Amino acid sequence: MTIAHNPLSVEVTLPREDVALVRVEGYLDVDTATEFQHHLANQLHHGRRHFVLDVSEVPFMDSSGMNIILRIYQETRRTGGSVHILSPTPPVQRVLDLTGVSITVPVSKNFDEALALIDGQAAPAAEA
């Protein structure tokens, strides 16, 4: 008998019309990456420019999941959008750091921090 991975759960909410908050739960790997990609592509198709990817419930991510994050990052950059990773678990943070993805794609501790980065992209943030 084999032990099945946790199935992937993806929940998308729209805190603003141009921002998709994508909550991911479960293993983000070669078996589940296509489903994750479908959700992101659907939101991109519907005009979302900014993506906040909440991976706080992802215990494992392999190169398949990382590649999808990089692809959506490239797509959003073409339209002046952005991708932000929210609250990665320690194993996911390690993968992001080892591969350099965390240098390219901002990592935030909470949604408000990510939203502040999104809003700061429209104009350089100035300290008041």
Side-chain angles (χ1 to χ4, degrees):
M1 181 163 99
T2 60
I3 298 174
H5 286 282
N6 294 339
L8 188 70
S9 170
V10 179
E11 177 187 322
V12 178
T13 56
L14 305 173
R16 296 195 324 214
E17 189 168 327
D18 65 338
V19 176
L21 173 58
V22 182
R23 289 187 175 96
V24 185
E25 184 176 336
Y27 286 74
L28 189 47
D29 58 18
V30 68
D31 294 328
T32 60
T34 302
E35 180 182 350
F36 181 52
Q37 182 177 10
H38 172 75
H39 284 280
L40 297 176
N42 184 43
Q43 292 306 311
L44 197 61
H45 175 75
H46 284 94
R48 310 301 172 241
R49 292 180 41 228
H50 302 284
F51 290 79
V52 179
L53 308 177
D54 182 345
V55 294
S56 61
E57 298 296 325
V58 176
F60 174 81
M61 180 176 71
D62 70 5
S63 61
S64 302
M66 203 174 43
N67 286 334
I68 289 173
I69 291 172
L70 288 173
R71 273 192 236 140
I72 197 72
Y73 172 80
Q74 290 171 342
E75 288 290 322
T76 59
R77 298 288 290 174
R78 291 185 196 136
T79 62
S82 62
V83 173
H84 302 268
I85 299 171
L86 189 62
S87 302
T89 57
V92 171
Q93 182 69 58
R94 182 165 166 76
V95 170
L96 295 171
D97 291 344
L98 287 172
T99 59
V101 172
S102 60
I103 295 169
T104 304
V105 181
V107 176
S108 300
K109 293 178 186 168
N110 58 54
F111 179 74
D112 290 337
E113 184 179 303
L115 198 57
L117 289 172
I118 290 168
D119 291 340
Q121 288 180 359
E127 295 285 302

